[in-house]
Structure formats: C-alpha cells, structure tokens
C-alpha cells in the first residue's frame, strides 16, 4: 500500500495531496441541522448537497436531509435566483420546515448570486424563516462554514429585549451530538440555565422508534436562538468554530462572550467549569469534583502507559488545540501537530503550549495536508497517531496505532454518541490512548516479555 | 405487501404542489401488462429545485465513477478542496498490483486537489494546476494524469485543455483534461458521458498490444466494487477467456490504451458505459453484449450468450462445465437463504443497471423488487435502446458534447471477424443473441410493479408507507431514513463494505448478507417491553 510514495522527502507547494480539511458548505449544513425544524439548503448544483449528505451520513450513521437548488448549466449562466425562489416555494410546500438555512457553494459564489436580495423577493410563508450564509469553498474549510452558519443564526435570529436573563449561551463548536449532550449535562449539574446552539443532539443521534421524523425532536429552537440575545453570557467553545458568532452576539445584543477551548482534556474542562462558576457565582457541585478526581486518579494510575510517548495529531483546529493541551497534560510529546484549516492563530497557540511545556523540535502547521504529515512521520516516526479516519493509511503504512478522533470517522461506529468533552471525555480519551499503546506492546512483545498485568 | 396500482402514484404525489405533481407524474410508471407495449417514463430531465433528490453531479460521474478507478493515473481535481476530498476513496473500487502495473504505480489511495483559493478564482487557476502537475510528475512519475474540473473552473474559464497539452509537451506523458463541471447536464450521467468521450477520443487506440488468447474480452461498466470484477475474472478465465480490461474497476491506463484489442465488449452498467461500447462498435467494428452477472440464472444466461457469440463447441462445453459445477456448488447454499427470504419484497434505487440486475438475484432467493428506479438513468435504461431515436434532446443534454466517431479504416473489421465466425453464422447469432442491444428494465418488471425515475425523499417515504417493503436497496443517503422507519436497508452502491456480489460466490455473499439483515435480532427489540401492548408490536412490518 502506498508504494507510490517517494523515497526521499519532497515538498510540494501547489494544491493539496490528501487534504486534512474539506469545504465550507458541509460545515454550514451540519450547523443548520442543529436548529430544530430546520432544513438545510444548498444553493448550487446537486453534487455538493449529495456529497455533504453522504459524508455526514457516513460519520453519524443517521439520516441527513437537505435540499438543493439543483443548478444546471442555465442557472450557472443566468444566475440562480429563479432556482432559489422555486426551491423555497417547494421546500415549504412539500416538507414544511420551520426554517430553511441556505448556504452557498463555490458555483453560486463564483457567479455572484446575491442571496439577501433573492430572499427579499422570495415567497416565504407567514411564520416561516429563511436564513443564509455565504460559504465559498475556496476560502477556509468546513470549520469556517460551520462558524459562518452559527454567525448567521445570531445575525438573523438573536434579539435583545433589553432585559438580561441569568442564562448562558453555549456555542459548542463542531462536535458530535454526544459531546453536546455531555456539555448540557455539565451545565445542568452546575444548575445554570442554558441555551446551546447549534445543538445536533436529538437530530443526529435520534433513537430508533420505527417512526421516521424528518424533523426530529432535537435541535435548538428558533425561540431559543432568539432568546440568546437576552443571556448574561456566551461561552464560545473553540475559537475557529464559535468566536465569530459570540462576537456578533456581543456586538448585536450586548451579551458578553468568553472565548474558550473546546472542553476536551482536563485543563480545558476546568476552564469551562470555572468560567460558569465565576460568572454565575455558582459553586461547583460535588458530582463534578468527583468526576475530576477520577480523571486525575486515572492519570496517576496509568501515566507509565503513555508518558514520554511521541504522538502526531491532526484534525480540525479547535479539536487539535484542545487535544494537544491534554496530551501535554498526560506527559506525552506532541511531535507533529497539523490542521488543514488555514489560520496562523493555530500555529501560534500550539507553539505557545509546546514552549510552555518545554517541548522542542515539534512540527506544527496550519493549512497542511496528510501527505506532508506522512512525510514527517516517515522521516522520524512517532509512537501514536491521533486523528480522523483518513489517518488509517498512514497508520498502516508506518505501522503506528491510530486513535480515531474528530471529524470524520467513517470506519468505526458509536463515536458520535460517546463524548470526548468533559471529565468523562477525558477518561474515554485516556482509555483509547492507553489501550492503543498497550495493544501494540502486547502485539510486539517477545514471548518472554509478554505479561499478564500491565 | 399492499398491491400497488395506478392510484398509488396519485397518493404518493398528493402532498406536492400542482406543478411538481405534473412534472413528477411522468417519472413514475406502474407496469401495466395489459397496455401491451412498453410504457413511457420521463428520465434524464432536470430535478425540480428544492426537491430532496438523491442525484449527484457531472463531476461525481466523471471522476467519482469512471476515471477515479483507473489505478495508475494520477487524477487531479481542479477546484476548491471539497470535490476531490469527497470522491477520495469513497467508491470502493478495489485495485491491486499485477504484472503490468507494479505497486508503485498505483495512486488509488491518494487525493490530489488544486485546493483553489480566492485569488485562484479571481486570477485563474491554470498556473497552480500546471505547477501541481509538475510536482506530481516529479514526485510520483505517473504513467498518465487526469484533470477533472469542478464547477468554478468552467465559470472562470480556466483552459484545462491547454494546461494539459502544455504539460504533455513538458513531461511526455498523457494528460487528459475532463471538463466535467458539476453543473453540466442534470445528474452524474453527464459526467459518465464526458469521461467516455475522453477515454475514447484520447486513450483507446493508442496502444498496440493484444493480450494473448483466442477469446479476448473487455468488461465495460464494471467498477470492481467489493471485488466483483475479480470474481468475474476468476470464472471467465477458467472458461478460457482473456480479460483484456475491466473498465474501469482495477483498470490501468495501459489496458485502456489497448481496449480495442479485444474480440467482444461486455457491458455491465449500461448507463455509465454504453457510449464506449457503441463508439467502439462504430470505430473498430467490435460487437458488444449486454450482460448481467448478478444472480445465478442471469449469470448462466450471460455466460451462455458469450460462448454462443464465438460459436466454438469447445468453449461452449467448457462454459457448461463451469456453469454446472458452480451452480451445483452454490444452489444448495442459496436454498438455505431462500427459506429466510422467500416471499419478501424490496425496493431498489441504485446504479445504472443495478436496480435491474438485482431483480434476478433476488428472485433466486424468492424475493421480488416491487418498486425500482434509478437516480441518473435515461429512458433507454428503463424502456430499452430502441427508444433512443425517439428521445428529444433538450437544452441540458445538448450541453454534453456528442463525440462522433468514424470508422477507423486501418483497424476496423467486420464484427463476425472479431468473433471468428462467418457472416452467415453472425446473422444466425444476431437472431439468437441480442448483440449491441439492451431491452431495459421494463420487460423484467411484473404487472403492478412500479418504476420510478429520480426518486426523491418524500416519494420514497410515501411509497414505503403504501407498499410496505421488507427491505430497501439504496445508497447511504436513504439508508438511515429507511432504518428509522423500521425497514432494513442495504447499500448497493457500496454493498455496506462487503462483497463481491457478482456471479456465484457473489450470490452466496449477497444472500447471506440479506438474510442476516432480515434476521438481525434488534429489529424485534425496537419497542421497549414497557411500551408493548401485544407481542407482535415489536416486530418489523407487523
């Protein structure tokens, strides 16, 4: 496998070989699914919508429904206004969503369709809503598209009534529904009222009931997203995915926004809980202290499984930033840290963490690709690879264990339901990392070194 | 199941606005044997904007389906990152090294994309593409390169043909440019056509090697999902055929160059590859035969027809021997699964011949497909090729350039010469075996069964409610919808990552997998005990 790879390290400058990111619209589609009663709509040719539904379905193993403007060559030449207006009419008539969330594609962006103007001319039924975001695929990544759609939710829906409520807005970032459920549980344990948007729990982890609901029970309601303008605080989890919406919410409705890391790992979870506790003056309940204590206990019980091991981690920037921090907490050495999403802030943040931990000689890159990561690993291998399913080729070729983490995971199940956030998420990550390394040790051990207890 | 009749269609479309209803009604046909002739179905026309269709785009058809599987070509997606990324390793076209293509010339697991950024859109992406080609040549030394265009490339006017030509001159390897922008045509089908044209125009005929063997054949429109092509090779080579190329599953650029050095073309997926079969017939005189290796009866029939083409008693004898041995081996196994599957009904919305092909295999195990359709087919896939002259070209199909091939005066031979038979024998053969023809799915459907073109989300839901199938064969986008309705669903684009499903071993694999799906204990556990009113409620389709 991959015998075509060059023997010597090469650098390539044009394009990407094995990209570590994908395009904006899929992120916008995922975010839109986190609004209750929302039908995401892809304004462009059919292929994009089809690819995005396919990819999300493969990761979540649940229905992903979205409509498309179905451009043909005519629309590409004369503009897509007629297609969008017809789509809006048909979508509300046939599927009857509460709200449609339109995102553009590189096709409609390149021809310059003016979405706000088209929406003004469209027939939107009384009481129904259409929001939009521009998601040109030639900028940013799927994370940028997710961030854009979150921002559109604030822009179109959030309002301040002038009376602040003792509630927190949580922008959870591009995480799994299982993570969103866990974040909600932690905030509930704290006894604080919250609005989380987007919220794909109940939408992309819906139970089997034999009743198919095109718009399942989950998702943040339009009323909730509107009311987010009245909250006392917004916690933006993950800068790349959530800061833009939090900033706009602060600007538009005066809600203070605090940027935080995704609560993945001990320190980031501590910071999340402390932000809530500080702002609302809430005491952290014993239940969370217990969970935290279990994490520290486990770290001390098992440090020799992983401490000092080198690791390559790749994926979406917010995920990788939080994961790198946790790996350092675990005493591991993040040797290669890479994201496909462009943004210099990523490199600065990772390098800062590594510097603080006294780790030198690591390679860190934003806007990289997996071919490059593979080249680094071939030059100097690592003990463990952490990243998405796309890492499995590197893992096999270089015979390195892979812990699947982030988006997408296409070749394993259950992950969308199992959180990696919070203290429970810490335990799960420790288990996965430690097990991967111990399985490798068992597999490679000589007979005389093969031990019962590790 | 509930018996479908003409009123079912009205019910299915009841909730649609009138314009939608009027349009969609033409895409749904209830087979009426009393009608005597083949009923007309509307196909290959625009999807209605806003309808939740399962269709993809021209790029998906060209790169994802036809060109992508060519293992020794480095295929560059010219465009923003998404299109290349989504078509990266997602079609399961298995490929392996062989004596003609060493492992270091296989690029199937890599994704090359120019990852166009805003300045590329504004100022053009040609330079970046040219540079990427240079870097790929320097790093990987591919035998040839594909460039596949995505939507913005056509809009900004990047001349990928010129970039390809210049790169060919620089590097002395072939660089094939495919203008398969996603907006072309109305579905993936446009992309299949574009790829077929380019393969035919630029690659086929450039090689001079004929593989050794008396009966050299090409298998066209076989993408080696789950190793189907390899199961075909196993059986065909044992009978005495030389497989020149499986196109394009596990195919190599070298083999495509020599595609014309074959005696007979077999067509599996009619929709995606009929163009090449037809063009090779015109240009070189090579006859083609529509085959189906899905299902034991269908396989045996296709093998016999192939042997009949060459009119060689020894070949026929070897064919019968293999048929007898393999059939005897697998039928008792299938019989076990038939006990589980007998009487069950299915829907199938898949592929460019699969909804037709799988009807045979399902009948082998006692099942019937009562609603069948395609995402991107044309009328001829439903009604048979005889309707082609009557199909009116609309604006969308006019956008796909028609490649007009002419007879190659040096290489053209009479079809009977390819088959090694006399003219008279060829005339006899034509009356027995339908060469260069396809009868479509319609004749294989039964009275009251439904054909549906470009089935959409709501229609599938409504049809399920009315016809209550036991299983749905479809792709990933419908799979979990079906599951949530309590109906098992199997992906027949990817086989749910199993397979092969073709020929004899394939039939056993398929029957086992379908039986396991139907028997999965969890289907009986959906209703929790505390909600159960009576014992039947926990069972599917109770």
């Amino acid at each position: 496998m991959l015998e075509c790879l060059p023997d010597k390290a090469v650098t390539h400058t044009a394009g990407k070989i094995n990209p570590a990111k994908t395009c904006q619209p899929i992120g916008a589609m995922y975010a839109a699914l986190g609004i209750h009663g929302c039908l995401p709509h892809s304004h462009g040719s059919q292929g994009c919508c089809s690819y995005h539904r396919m990819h999300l379905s493969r990761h979540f193993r649940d229905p992903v429904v979205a409509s498309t403007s179905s451009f043909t060559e005519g629309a590409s030449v004369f503009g897509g206004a007629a297609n969008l207006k017809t789509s809006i009419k048909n979508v509300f008539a046939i599927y009857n969503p509460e709200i449609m969330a339109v995102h553009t594609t590189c096709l409609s962006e390149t021809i310059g369709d003016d979405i706000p103007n088209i929406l003004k001319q469209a027939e939107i039924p009384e009481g129904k809503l259409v929001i939009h975001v521009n998601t040109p695929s030639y900028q940013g990544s799927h994370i940028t598209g997710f961030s854009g759609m979150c921002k559109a939710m604030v822009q179109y829906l959030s309002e301040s009534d002038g009376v602040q409520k003792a509630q927190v807005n949580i922008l959870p970032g591009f995480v799994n529904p299982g993570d969103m459920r866990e974040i909600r549980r932690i905030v509930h344990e704290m006894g604080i009222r919250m609005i989380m948007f987007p919220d794909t729990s109940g939408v992309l982890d819906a139970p089997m009931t034999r009743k198919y609901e095109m718009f399942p029970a989950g998702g943040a309601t339009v009323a909730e997203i509107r009311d987010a303008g009245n909250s006392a605080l917004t916690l933006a989890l993950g800068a790349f995915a959530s800061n833009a919406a939090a900033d706009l919410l602060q600007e538009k409705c005066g809600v203070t926004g605090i940027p935080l890391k995704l609560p993945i790992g001990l320190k980031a979870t501590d910071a999340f809980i402390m932000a809530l506790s500080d702002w609302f003056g809430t005491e952290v309940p014993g239940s969370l202290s217990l969970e935290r204590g279990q994490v520290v206990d486990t770290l001390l019980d098992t440090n020799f499984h992983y401490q000092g091991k080198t690791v390559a981690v790749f994926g979406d920037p917010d995920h990788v930033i939080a994961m790198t921090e946790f790996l350092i907490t675990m005493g591991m050495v993040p040797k290669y840290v890479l994201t496909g999403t462009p943004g210099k802030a990523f490199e600065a943040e990772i390098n800062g963490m590594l510097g603080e931990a006294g780790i030198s000689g690591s390679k860190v890159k934003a806007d990289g690709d997996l071919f490059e990561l593979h080249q680094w690993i071939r030059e100097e291998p690592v003990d463990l690879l952490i990243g998405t399913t796309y890492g499995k080729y590197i893992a096999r070729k270089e015979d390195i264990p892979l812990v699947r983490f982030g988006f997408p995971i296409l070749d394993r199940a259950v992950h969308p339901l199992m959180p990696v956030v919070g203290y429970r998420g810490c335990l799960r990550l420790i288990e996965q990392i430690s097990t991967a390394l111990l399985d490798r040790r068992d597999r490679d051990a000589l007979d005389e070194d093969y031990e019962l207890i590790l | 199941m509930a018996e479908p009749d003409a009123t079912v269609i009205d019910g299915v479309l009841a909730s649609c606005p009138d314009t939608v209803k009027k349009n969609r009604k033409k895409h749904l046909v209830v087979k009426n044997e009393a009608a005597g002739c083949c009923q007309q179905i509307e196909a290959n026309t625009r999807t209605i904007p806003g309808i939740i269709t399962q269709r993809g785009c021209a790029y998906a058809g060209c790169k994802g389906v036809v060109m992508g599987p060519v293992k020794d070509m480095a295929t560059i997606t010219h465009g923003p990152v998404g299109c290349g990324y989504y078509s990266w390793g997602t079609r399961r076209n298995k490929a392996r090294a062989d004596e003609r293509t060493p492992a270091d010339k296989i690029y199937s697991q890599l994704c090359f994309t120019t990852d166009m950024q805003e300045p590329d859109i504004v100022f053009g992406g040609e330079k970046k593409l040219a540079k990427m080609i240079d870097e790929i040549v320097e790093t990987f030394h591919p035998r040839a390169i594909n460039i596949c265009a995505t939507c913005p490339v056509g809009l900004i006017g990047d001349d990928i043909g010129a970039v390809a030509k210049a790169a060919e001159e620089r590097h002395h390897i072939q660089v094939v440019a495919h203008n398969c922008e996603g907006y072309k045509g109305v579905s993936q089908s446009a992309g299949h056509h574009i790829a077929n044209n380019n393969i035919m125009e630029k690659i086929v005929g450039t090689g001079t090697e004929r593989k050794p063997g008396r009966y050299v054949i090409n298998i066209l429109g076989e993408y080696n999902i789950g190793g189907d092509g390899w199961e075909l090779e196993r059986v065909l080579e044992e009978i005495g055929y030389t497989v020149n190329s499986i196109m394009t599953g596990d195919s190599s650029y070298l083999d495509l160059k020599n595609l014309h050095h074959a005696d007979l073309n077999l067509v599996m997926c009619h929709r995606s590859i009929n163009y090449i079969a037809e063009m090779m017939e015109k240009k070189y005189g090579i006859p083609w035969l529509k085959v189906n290796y899905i299902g034991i009866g269908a396989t045996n029939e296709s093998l016999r027809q192939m042997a009949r083409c060459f009119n060689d008693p020894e070949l026929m004898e070897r064919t019968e021997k293999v048929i007898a041995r393999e059939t005897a081996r697998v039928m008792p196994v299938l019989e076990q699964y038939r006990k589980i599957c007998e009487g069950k009904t299915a829907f199938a919305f898949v592929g460019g011949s699969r909804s037709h092909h799988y009807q045979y295999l399902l009948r082998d195990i006692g099942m019937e497909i009562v609603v069948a359709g395609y995402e991107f087919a044309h009328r001829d896939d439903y009604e048979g090729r005889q309707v082609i002259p009557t199909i009116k070209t609309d604006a969308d199909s006019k956008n796909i350039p028609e490649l007009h091939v002419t007879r190659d005066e040096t290489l053209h031979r009479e079809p009977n010469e390819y088959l090694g038979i006399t003219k008279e024998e060829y005339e006899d053969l034509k009356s027995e075996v339908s060469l260069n023809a396809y009868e479509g799915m319609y004749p294989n459907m039964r009275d009251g069964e439904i054909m549906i073109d470009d089935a959409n989300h709501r229609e599938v839901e409504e049809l399920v409610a009315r016809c209550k199938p036991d299983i749905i064969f479809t792709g990933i986008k419908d799979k979990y919808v079906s599951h949530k309705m309590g109906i098992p669903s199997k992906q027949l684009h990817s086989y749910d990552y199993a397979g092969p499903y073709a020929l004899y071993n394939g039939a056993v694999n398929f029957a086992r997998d379908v039986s396991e799906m139907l028997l999965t204990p969890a289907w009986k556990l959906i209703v929790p005990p505390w909600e159960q009113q009576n014992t039947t409620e926990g069972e599917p389709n109770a």
Side-chain angles (χ1 to χ4, degrees):
Chain A
M1 177 184 285
L2 295 180
E3 273 83 353
C4 64
L5 294 182
D7 294 331
K8 284 187 211 137
V10 292
T11 48
H12 76 103
T13 56
K16 294 280 185 290
I17 304 174
N18 301 346
K21 64 170 177 184
T22 184
C23 62
Q24 285 210 50
I26 194 173
M29 185 183 282
Y30 179 55
L33 289 165
I35 306 175
H36 177 70
C38 179
L39 188 70
H41 180 84
S42 168
H43 184 54
S45 53
Q46 282 152 193
C48 311
C49 187
S50 186
Y51 273 142
H52 302 150
R53 292 178 61 202
M54 170 195 92
H55 210 64
L56 292 171
S57 296
R58 283 182 172 152
H59 175 87
F60 294 104
R61 296 178 198 250
D62 243 11
V64 174
V65 183
S67 53
T68 157
S69 291
S70 287
F71 276 37
T72 57
E73 197 147 9
S76 310
V77 175
F78 300 113
N83 288 55
L84 186 51
K85 287 181 210 164
T86 308
S87 296
I88 289 171
K89 219 160 138 185
N90 284 332
V91 161
F92 284 113
I94 301 170
Y95 310 110
N96 195 28
E98 295 300 307
I99 175 170
M100 248 176 107
V102 178
H103 59 262
T104 54
T105 63
C106 48
L107 171 54
S108 56
E109 282 292 323
T110 307
I111 63 174
D113 274 351
D114 180 354
I115 307 297
N117 212 18
I118 301 170
L119 294 186
K120 267 184 219 149
Q121 298 161 8
E123 288 171 45
I124 301 167
E126 189 71 31
K128 302 288 182 177
L129 292 160
V130 181
I131 67 173
H132 101 283
V133 62
N134 291 89
T135 46
S137 320
Y138 41 79
Q139 281 172 3
S141 76
H142 55 296
I143 296 301
T144 322
F146 181 90
S147 163
M149 185 54 89
C150 295
K151 197 176 157 190
M153 293 176 198
V154 172
Q155 187 186 330
Y156 275 92
L157 306 175
S158 300
E159 297 286 347
S160 164
D161 299 329
V163 187
Q164 208 179 68
K165 295 181 182 170
Q167 65 189 21
V168 61
N169 300 322
I170 307 275
L171 299 167
F174 197 138
V175 295
N176 283 325
D179 294 314
M180 295 181 186
R181 282 185 194 277
E182 181 63 5
I183 291 168
R184 178 181 301 280
R185 187 188 67 85
I186 292 169
V187 181
H188 278 181
E189 293 277 313
M190 299 278 294
I192 298 166
R193 259 182 69 188
M194 69 173 280
I195 292 170
M196 180 158 65
F197 69 95
D199 178 5
T200 57
S201 66
V203 180
L204 290 168
D205 63 356
M208 170 63 83
T209 58
R210 224 194 299 144
K211 277 190 209 94
Y212 170 70
E213 305 274 358
M214 191 163 161
F215 303 106
T221 63
V222 168
E224 282 173 315
I225 301 173
R226 191 192 173 281
D227 195 35
N230 296 317
S231 296
L233 176 71
T234 302
L235 295 183
L237 307 184
F240 283 78
S242 303
N243 275 7
D247 288 349
L248 183 64
L249 202 48
Q250 182 152 354
E251 193 184 307
K252 186 180 172 189
C253 305
V255 183
T256 303
I258 297 181
L260 292 171
K261 292 192 182 76
L262 279 180
I264 293 172
L266 189 80
K267 286 184 182 168
T269 304
D270 285 351
F272 175 61
I273 288 168
M274 283 309 289
L276 287 169
S277 168
D278 285 348
W279 192 270
F280 292 95
T282 320
E283 230 172 87
V284 178
S287 58
L288 292 177
S289 301
L290 180 142
E291 286 176 22
R292 188 182 186 281
Q294 289 173 328
V295 174
V296 180
D297 189 56
T298 306
L299 286 170
L300 294 170
D301 291 348
T302 58
N303 70 302
F304 52 91
H305 292 166
Y306 42 75
Q307 194 155 350
K309 301 278 188 194
T310 56
V311 53
V313 52
F314 72 93
D316 297 335
D318 296 332
H319 274 83
V320 172
I321 287 167
M323 176 56 105
T324 303
E325 185 180 65
F326 189 43
L327 293 170
I328 293 170
T329 304
M330 291 172 74
M332 295 183 76
V333 182
K335 194 161 173 56
Y336 308 123
V337 185
L338 181 137
T339 183
T341 298
K344 289 289 163 204
F346 174 82
E347 290 174 17
E349 178 133 25
I350 300 284
N351 282 321
M353 281 186 221
L354 293 171
E356 206 174 298
I359 297 168
S360 58
S362 296
K363 288 186 174 170
V364 179
K365 189 166 181 181
D367 203 15
D369 63 28
L370 298 185
F371 176 72
E372 188 163 20
L373 178 66
H374 195 169
Q375 298 257 310
W376 295 344
I377 292 172
R378 291 181 92 198
E379 271 181 83
E380 204 183 336
V382 286
D383 299 308
L384 182 69
L385 183 60
I386 298 179
T388 73
T389 285
Y390 288 95
K392 73 189 285 183
Y393 292 96
I394 301 175
R396 180 179 166 105
K397 177 78 179 166
E398 306 308 324
D399 195 20
I400 299 169
L402 169 67
V403 167
R404 285 164 179 79
F405 172 73
F407 174 86
I409 296 174
L410 308 170
D411 62 336
R412 295 291 186 272
V414 195
H415 55 88
L417 309 180
M418 305 301 283
V420 293
V421 299
Y423 299 124
R424 287 184 178 179
C426 288
L427 292 177
R428 182 153 173 265
L429 290 173
I430 295 168
E431 186 195 9
Q432 286 182 322
I433 289 169
S434 152
T435 301
L437 290 166
L438 294 179
D439 280 348
R440 168 52 49 96
R441 178 171 161 178
D442 278 341
R443 196 199 76 176
D444 294 346
L446 299 173
D447 279 355
E448 58 270 34
D449 296 329
Y450 191 64
E451 292 179 75
L452 179 72
I453 302 162
L454 291 170
Chain B
M1 64 160 242
E3 202 61 39
D5 61 47
T7 59
V8 168
I9 307 287
D10 294 324
V12 166
L13 299 175
S15 64
C16 296
D18 286 345
T19 46
V20 174
K21 207 179 288 176
K22 205 174 141 210
N23 176 318
R24 287 302 303 163
K25 209 164 174 175
K26 298 180 209 152
H27 296 262
L28 286 119
V29 165
V30 180
K31 176 154 179 173
N32 178 6
E33 262 164 13
C37 60
C38 182
Q39 293 153 276
Q40 187 172 327
I41 185 167
E42 186 108 326
N44 195 35
T45 56
R46 289 182 191 184
T47 299
I48 305 161
I51 292 292
I52 301 176
T53 174
Q54 312 300 36
R55 279 176 163 179
C57 65
Y59 167 83
C62 179
K63 195 276 182 177
V65 175
V66 183
M67 296 316 305
V70 184
K71 60 189 173 186
D72 56 350
M73 289 179 93
T75 297
I76 303 172
T77 298
H78 184 39
V81 67
C83 308
Y85 173 89
Y86 301 115
S87 58
W88 175 19
T90 50
R91 271 257 314 168
R92 302 193 71 224
N93 314 102
K94 292 194 174 192
R96 63 185 169 202
D98 55 31
E99 67 279 5
R100 289 166 69 80
T101 305
D104 64 358
K105 286 281 176 269
I106 296 180
Y107 311 103
S108 307
Q109 280 143 0
L110 302 183
C111 169
F112 301 100
T113 164
T114 50
D115 184 24
M116 287 173 94
Q117 299 297 305
E118 192 157 24
D120 305 319
I121 299 293
V122 177
F123 302 111
E126 292 176 9
K127 277 187 190 155
K128 192 177 196 181
L129 174 61
K131 182 125 201 277
M132 189 163 198
I133 294 172
D134 293 348
E135 289 179 348
I136 287 171
V137 170
E138 199 180 318
T139 307
F140 297 99
H141 317 290
R143 290 166 169 168
I145 289 177
N146 285 307
I147 303 167
C148 293
T150 64
C151 288
V153 168
L155 297 176
I156 64 171
D158 269 3
D159 187 347
I160 60 170
V163 174
K165 194 161 171 274
E168 282 183 351
E169 284 162 14
R170 281 200 304 282
H171 300 297
H172 311 292
I173 58 166
Q174 194 166 19
V175 181
V176 185
H178 305 272
N179 279 105
C180 54
E181 290 85 349
Y183 54 76
K184 289 201 168 153
V186 299
S187 70
Q188 296 93 307
S189 175
H192 305 142
H193 196 166
I194 290 164
N196 273 244
N197 287 352
N198 288 330
I199 291 174
M200 193 63 200
E201 191 179 12
K202 295 170 182 157
I203 305 178
V204 177
T206 58
T208 54
E209 302 160 59
R210 181 183 154 97
K211 283 189 186 168
R214 168 65 191 88
Y215 305 109
V216 179
I217 50 122
N218 294 318
I219 308 165
L220 308 182
E222 166 51 61
Y223 299 99
N224 203 31
I225 308 284
D228 279 351
W230 295 333
E231 171 71 355
L232 256 153
E233 257 179 341
R234 174 182 78 84
V235 172
L236 294 182
E237 288 181 355
E238 189 189 339
I239 292 175
Y241 297 99
T242 302
V243 177
N244 183 44
S245 178
I246 298 175
M247 205 199 128
T248 55
D250 195 26
S251 66
S252 76
Y253 170 71
L254 289 189
D255 292 341
L256 294 186
K257 282 165 72 105
N258 291 303
L259 205 66
H260 58 302
H261 293 295
D263 305 317
L264 179 65
N265 278 325
L266 306 178
V267 172
M268 275 293 273
C269 173
H270 178 259
R271 183 68 266 137
S272 64
I273 221 78
N274 79 86
Y275 314 95
I276 281 185
E278 202 186 344
M279 288 188 278
M280 285 181 75
E281 184 203 345
K282 254 191 210 150
K283 190 168 180 179
Y284 305 109
I286 304 173
W288 63 267
L289 182 68
K290 174 76 184 75
V291 291
N292 173 20
Y293 293 109
I294 306 296
I296 303 302
T299 294
N300 293 348
E301 175 62 18
S302 289
L303 290 175
R304 286 185 176 122
Q305 288 199 1
M306 279 178 73
R308 177 72 189 81
C309 286
F310 293 101
N311 204 19
D312 170 356
E314 208 182 306
L315 186 71
M316 289 182 186
E317 199 190 307
R318 281 201 303 271
T319 302
E320 290 303 334
K321 220 171 118 189
V322 169
I323 286 176
R325 186 197 67 207
E326 294 284 313
T327 308
R329 179 171 67 88
V330 299
M331 283 316 272
V333 190
L334 288 187
E335 198 46 47
Q336 296 303 308
Y337 295 121
R338 180 187 260 273
K339 287 177 192 150
I340 298 159
C341 300
E342 184 89 58
K344 298 275 197 288
T345 61
F347 287 3
F349 311 107
V350 55
S353 281
R354 279 185 202 175
S355 293
H356 180 192
H357 289 167
Y358 277 84
Q359 295 185 4
Y360 295 89
L361 178 47
L362 284 161
R363 281 175 191 156
D364 285 346
I365 51 172
M367 290 176 72
E368 187 68 23
I369 291 183
V370 294
V371 177
Y374 296 125
E375 293 160 25
F376 52 78
H378 299 200
R379 277 181 59 200
D380 39 312
D381 300 297
Y382 299 99
E383 300 175 54
R385 286 182 71 88
Q386 65 278 6
V387 300
I388 292 175
T390 72
I391 297 174
K392 274 203 292 191
T393 3
D394 59 12
D396 294 315
S397 36
K398 274 187 195 143
N399 293 334
I400 315 307
E402 206 51 64
L403 181 63
H404 294 288
V405 297
T406 50
R407 175 192 284 235
D408 183 319
E409 293 303 342
T410 21
L411 294 173
H412 187 279
R413 287 186 289 151
E414 290 306 313
N416 62 295
E417 292 173 34
Y418 280 99
L419 300 175
I421 56 178
T422 65
K423 273 204 157 125
E424 293 71 38
E425 284 174 321
Y426 186 70
E427 288 311 311
D428 287 348
L429 175 67
K430 278 204 297 189
S431 61
E432 286 172 45
V433 173
S434 59
L435 278 169
N436 314 326
Y438 175 48
E439 59 173 11
M441 181 164 75
Y442 183 85
N444 198 46
M445 302 288 294
R446 295 181 178 175
D447 203 32
E449 292 177 352
I450 297 173
M451 286 201 313
I452 180 167
D453 177 66
D454 185 17
N456 61 55
H457 180 82
R458 175 52 49 86
E459 287 165 3
V460 172
E461 257 193 277
E462 294 288 339
L463 283 164
V464 165
R466 286 172 167 79
C467 303
K468 301 187 173 17
D470 296 290
I471 188 165
I472 294 181
F473 297 102
T474 183
I476 185 81
K477 296 189 290 289
D478 278 325
K479 181 182 174 77
Y480 301 111
V481 174
S482 166
H483 278 194
K484 287 284 192 274
M485 293 184 216
I487 299 168
S489 168
K490 181 154 193 64
Q491 298 182 69
L492 273 191
H493 297 286
S494 68
Y495 304 169
D496 282 327
Y497 318 99
Y501 286 164
L503 289 103
Y504 304 102
N505 291 336
V508 172
N509 290 339
F510 178 80
R512 180 198 57 229
D513 292 351
V514 167
S515 300
E516 283 178 359
M517 291 208 73
L518 292 169
L519 292 181
T520 299
W523 290 116
K524 297 193 173 175
L525 299 171
I526 295 172
V527 180
W530 53 92
E531 282 174 20
Q532 275 180 38
Q533 314 264 300
N534 56 56
T535 48
T536 57
E537 210 171 296
E539 291 168 28
N541 301 320

